[in-house]
Amino acid sequence: MKNFKHTPMSLHADGNSKKVNEIGEKSQKDDEKDMKSFKNTPMSLHVDGNPKKVKKIGEKSQKDDDDDVALDVKNFKNMLMSLDADDESKKVKKFQDKSQNDDDDERLNHSGFDICPKKDSSVIKLKAPLHVMNRERRKQSMKGQNITVLRSGMVLMKGYISSADQISIVKTCRELGICDGGFYQPGYGSGTKLHLKMMCLGKNWDPETSIYSELRPYDNSKPPGIPEKFRNMVEKAIQDSNNYIRLNHGGSNEGKVVPNMSPDICIVNFYSKTGRLGLHQDKDESEESIKKGLPVVSFSIGDSAEFKYGENRAEDEAENVTLESGDVLIFGGKSRLIYHGVTSILPDTAPRSLLQATDMSPGRLNLTFRMY
C-alpha cells in the first residue's frame, strides 16, 4: 500500500512521464483487443469446426424464448380467470349484501318503528337549564285549571297530562311499537303513503278500507291491547272535563258535556317534523257509538302541532289551535263528527325533560282513543 501511494510521486521524481503515457496506451489497446475477441467468439467457434455448438446455443435460446412466451400466455390466462373469479365473487358478495339488506329492511318493517332509538353512548347529555325546568313545572301546576270549551262537545285541556305520565306514555308506546303489530308506514293501494307512522291498539284500523278488524292486513299481525293505565287516564280526563263544565257553566252546559266511555280502540300516530294529516272525520266506529256521540279523546306528547277543525274539509274556513305536549283534546256529542287534522308540526318545541328521559325522536306522538 505504501509503494502504491508513492508510485506517482516516484515517477514524477524520476522524470519518467513518458512511462505513464505508455502505460495508458497499453491499457487502451488491451481493452480493444478484449472487445474484438468477444465479438468474434461465435465466428471462432464455427471456424474451429464447432457449428453444432452454435446451433445448440441458438436452439436453446429459441426454446427459452418459446417457454417464456408459453409461460406468459399461461400467466395471462390465469390472470383472466382470476379476474373472472374476482368478478363473480364480487357479484355473489353484492347479491349477498343486497339479500342481507332486504332481510334487514324486512325485519325493520315487521319489528316496528322505534320512536326512541338508542343514542350514541359517547354523547354527553346536558341537563335542561333551571329556568326551562321551572317553566315546565309552572305549566304542570295549571293542571285542571286551564280548560277551554272550544264549541259544544269539544273541550281542550291544556297541560293536563303530567310530565311523569308523558314519560310513561312514551316509554310504553315505544315498547309496544317495536313489537308485532307495532308502528308501520300506512298507505293506500295506489302507493301513496301517509305522512306519519301508525300503530293500533285493541283493534286494527285500515286507512285504505276504513274498516276495523282483529288483524292488520299489512302483515297479518294482531294489534296490542290498550294498557289499563291508558284507559284509566282517558276515563278520568272525560270526568274532569265534564265536572269543570258543570261547575263553570251552570245550567248552560247542555251539549257541552260529553258521554262517559271506556275506550276499546286507540290509534297511535307518530308525526316527524314534516308530518301532517289532512282534515277528515273519525266516522268508522259503530253506528251506535257515533249516534251516542261517544267522544274521541286525544293525547298530545312531544312537539307542538297546528291543529285545525271545522264543519268541512276546507282548511281556509277551519279554526286553528296549537296542541302542546301534555294537552288533551276531547270531541264528542254534537262535535263527534267534526272535521279535523294536523297541518304542521312545530319543531323543537317538546319539553326538554321529556326528551332527556325518553330519547324520543323529534316529532309528535298522538294517541286518539275511542269506543267502537
Side-chain angles (χ1 to χ4, degrees):
M1 188 68 178
K2 183 177 180 180
N3 292 336
F4 174 77
K5 289 180 178 178
H6 291 161
T7 299
M9 295 177 65
S10 64
L11 289 173
H12 181 70
D14 292 342
N16 294 325
S17 58
K18 291 182 179 180
K19 289 184 179 181
V20 176
N21 292 334
E22 290 176 0
I23 292 172
E25 291 174 356
K26 183 177 183 303
S27 176
Q28 179 67 28
K29 289 180 180 179
D30 289 342
D31 290 344
E32 291 175 355
K33 182 178 180 181
D34 290 341
M35 180 60 70
K36 184 177 181 181
S37 176
F38 174 76
K39 291 181 178 179
N40 292 336
T41 297
M43 294 177 64
S44 65
L45 287 173
H46 181 72
V47 173
D48 290 341
N50 294 319
K52 292 182 179 180
K53 288 184 179 180
V54 175
K55 183 178 180 182
K56 187 174 182 180
I57 291 172
E59 290 174 349
K60 183 177 184 304
S61 177
Q62 182 63 42
K63 186 175 183 300
D64 289 344
D65 289 343
D66 292 342
D67 288 344
D68 289 343
V69 171
L71 183 61
D72 288 341
V73 171
K74 183 178 180 181
N75 289 338
F76 181 70
K77 289 181 178 179
N78 289 338
M79 181 182 70
L80 290 178
M81 292 176 64
S82 176
L83 289 173
D84 289 341
D86 288 344
D87 188 52
E88 289 299 320
S89 177
K90 289 177 181 178
K91 288 180 180 179
V92 171
K93 187 175 186 306
K94 185 175 181 181
F95 175 79
Q96 291 174 338
D97 290 343
K98 183 180 184 302
S99 178
Q100 181 65 41
N101 290 335
D102 289 344
D103 290 342
D104 290 342
D105 290 342
E106 191 69 15
R107 282 195 295 272
L108 180 61
N109 286 336
H110 287 282
S111 63
F113 171 77
D114 192 348
I115 63 173
C116 303
K118 291 181 180 180
K119 299 293 191 298
D120 186 350
S121 58
S122 64
V123 177
I124 300 175
K125 292 184 179 180
L126 299 177
K127 291 185 178 180
L130 184 60
H131 72 279
V132 173
M133 299 296 289
N134 288 336
R135 184 170 64 244
E136 292 179 4
R137 290 192 187 99
R138 283 195 297 272
K139 280 187 177 181
Q140 289 302 317
S141 68
M142 304 270 307
K143 176 182 176 181
Q145 300 175 11
N146 193 3
I147 297 178
T148 303
V149 178
L150 300 178
R151 51 181 288 162
S152 293
M154 190 171 191
V155 181
L156 174 60
M157 308 172 76
K158 297 294 294 181
Y160 181 80
I161 306 173
S162 70
S163 294
D165 284 341
Q166 291 180 52
I167 292 170
S168 177
I169 290 171
V170 171
K171 289 184 175 180
T172 301
C173 287
R174 189 261 175 185
E175 292 172 2
L176 296 174
I178 60 176
C179 297
D180 289 343
F183 285 109
Y184 77 109
Q185 179 89 49
Y188 303 97
S190 61
T192 303
K193 299 290 185 182
L194 295 180
H195 298 274
L196 49 80
K197 297 292 192 297
M198 185 174 78
M199 168 177 66
C200 295
L201 306 179
K203 288 181 178 290
N204 180 75
W205 178 73
D206 184 358
E208 183 172 15
T209 61
S210 298
I211 294 175
Y212 284 104
S213 61
E214 297 300 322
L215 299 177
R216 184 165 71 184
Y218 168 73
D219 55 5
N220 211 36
S221 62
K222 183 177 178 59
I226 299 177
E228 188 65 25
K229 59 183 178 183
F230 287 5
R231 187 177 286 109
N232 293 338
M233 291 175 67
V234 170
E235 293 173 358
K236 189 175 187 306
I238 295 174
Q239 182 181 352
D240 288 346
S241 170
N242 286 338
N243 287 341
Y244 174 83
I245 292 172
R246 292 189 182 100
L247 181 62
N248 291 273
H249 291 266
S252 63
N253 58 21
E254 185 179 353
K256 296 183 177 67
V257 173
V258 298
N260 291 318
M261 68 95 179
S262 183
D264 55 10
I265 299 167
C266 177
I267 297 179
V268 186
N269 291 330
F270 183 82
Y271 299 80
S272 66
K273 290 183 177 182
T274 58
R276 63 183 185 276
L277 184 62
L279 268 64
H280 64 283
Q281 293 175 301
D282 289 349
K283 59 180 182 179
D284 299 325
E285 291 69 43
S286 68
E287 183 179 348
E288 181 182 4
S289 179
I290 299 294
K291 187 176 180 179
K292 288 182 177 180
L294 299 183
V296 173
V297 180
S298 169
F299 291 179
S300 295
I301 311 289
D303 284 335
S304 301
E306 293 297 331
F307 181 85
K308 287 190 177 255
Y309 61 96
E311 296 293 340
N312 52 57
R313 282 196 173 91
E315 289 191 8
D316 57 343
E317 299 177 13
E319 296 185 65
N320 185 79
V321 65
T322 301
L323 298 179
E324 300 174 298
S325 191
D327 289 354
V328 172
L329 179 68
I330 300 173
F331 52 98
K334 293 182 178 180
S335 295
R336 179 58 180 82
L337 293 178
I338 194 79
Y339 283 89
H340 60 282
V342 174
T343 55
S344 65
I345 301 299
L346 306 180
D348 306 320
T349 52
R352 291 279 294 276
S353 57
L354 174 72
L355 301 181
Q356 288 179 349
T358 63
D359 285 331
M360 191 176 90
S361 294
R364 174 181 183 249
L365 184 66
N366 176 231
L367 295 78
T368 55
F369 300 88
R370 69 284 305 275
M371 188 172 183
Y372 182 75

